Amino acid sequence: MSFPNPPTSVKLVLLGEAAVGKSSLVLRFVSNDFQENKEPTIGAAFLTQKCTIGDRTIKYEIWDTAGQERFQSLAPMYYRNAQAALVVYDITKPASFIKARHWVKELHEQASKDITIALVGNKYDLAENDNENEESLRKVSIEEGKNLAEEEGLLFFETSAKSSYNVNDVFIGIGNKIPDTSASQGTSSGLNVNGQSNNEGRIDLSAGSNNNRGGADACAC
């Protein structure tokens, strides 16, 4: 009699400048929700989500770190021993892309040598809705993002937490890069930091699901 493999636990940290949409990406992934005026993260928030990718179940243990300068000295505490990281920038703010370069450099120098890093240009919806007669809101080209990802060996995505565009694809891409070590995985402590909400759900990211749309078609929690 065969038994299903236990979930593969993956510690994942989000890094990036304040207001680039890190918390909104996590909220979209975990709850398939979006809040227009989300409060800034204080310190870090911890959330979990179990996902089915192909024949594997992955339990993402997500540390959503604050982007404000005063909290950045805490970042190593969160990315230490992380198997994956999302470095997020806002495609309408060049300064956030410069900061993303900084985080990539720091991860390469101080995080686990085999960490999987995804470079994520968020707020794609703002560029998608550009009017031809007005100056484009996009300030960081897709080529700039791709070039940085190629130089540093990163996964690369442009996303919109608001419309859900490509959000699930980020986690599919990471999951496909993570080795299957389910036999040796433990369970999460469920720690909740600084009063932030701890949410856990389940989402099916199997091939064939429509990952660029919101609502029930995008995920079955």
Side-chain angles (χ1 to χ4, degrees):
M1 181 177 179
S2 62
F3 295 92
N5 290 329
T8 298
S9 292
V10 174
K11 179 181 178 182
L12 182 149
V13 63
L14 281 88
L15 299 166
E17 200 169 58
V20 296
K22 300 186 298 297
S23 297
S24 293
L25 285 170
V26 174
L27 181 65
R28 175 62 75 182
F29 175 59
V30 171
S31 303
N32 195 28
D33 191 16
F34 178 79
Q35 297 174 9
E36 192 71 48
N37 297 305
K38 202 169 190 317
E39 291 294 323
T41 302
I42 304 300
F46 178 79
L47 305 93
T48 64
Q49 178 68 295
K50 288 182 180 177
C51 307
T52 300
I53 302 176
D55 58 357
R56 297 174 63 195
T57 298
I58 292 179
K59 182 178 182 181
Y60 283 108
E61 301 173 345
I62 304 168
W63 290 97
D64 173 21
T65 67
Q68 297 97 318
E69 195 74 35
R70 68 183 187 274
F71 293 119
Q72 290 181 12
S73 62
L74 301 175
M77 179 172 65
Y78 298 111
Y79 64 63
R80 186 177 298 120
N81 300 321
Q83 292 127 294
L86 266 60
V87 177
V88 185
Y89 65 94
D90 178 345
I91 66 169
T92 71
K93 295 182 179 178
S96 71
F97 185 66
I98 294 171
K99 192 65 177 180
R101 287 182 177 273
H102 161 79
W103 282 121
V104 170
K105 182 175 184 289
E106 183 167 327
L107 286 170
H108 280 322
E109 292 176 351
Q110 300 189 39
S112 302
K113 61 180 177 60
D114 56 351
I115 190 171
T116 297
I117 305 173
L119 179 66
V120 179
N122 194 37
K123 304 192 182 181
Y124 175 81
D125 55 286
L126 296 179
E128 186 181 34
N129 296 330
D130 279 343
N131 188 312
E132 290 183 2
N133 297 320
E134 298 177 1
E135 183 181 0
S136 174
L137 293 175
R138 177 190 284 276
K139 302 302 179 185
V140 182
S141 70
I142 190 169
E143 289 77 16
E144 288 177 277
K146 285 181 176 179
N147 289 341
L148 176 58
E150 289 175 4
E151 290 168 9
E152 301 291 345
L154 319 174
L155 298 172
F156 174 70
F157 302 89
E158 286 196 339
T159 61
S160 168
K162 185 172 185 177
S163 71
S164 83
Y165 174 75
N166 265 357
V167 174
N168 286 351
D169 292 60
V170 174
F171 294 89
I172 293 172
I174 289 174
N176 286 331
K177 293 275 286 186
I178 298 293
D180 188 356
T181 56
S182 55
S184 60
Q185 292 288 341
T187 58
S188 168
S189 63
L191 178 65
N192 189 317
V193 176
N194 291 324
Q196 300 294 320
S197 61
N198 181 354
N199 297 308
E200 179 169 354
R202 188 180 189 90
I203 184 170
D204 186 355
L205 298 183
S206 302
S209 64
N210 187 338
N211 297 303
N212 291 341
R213 295 169 55 188
D217 289 341
C219 60
C221 299

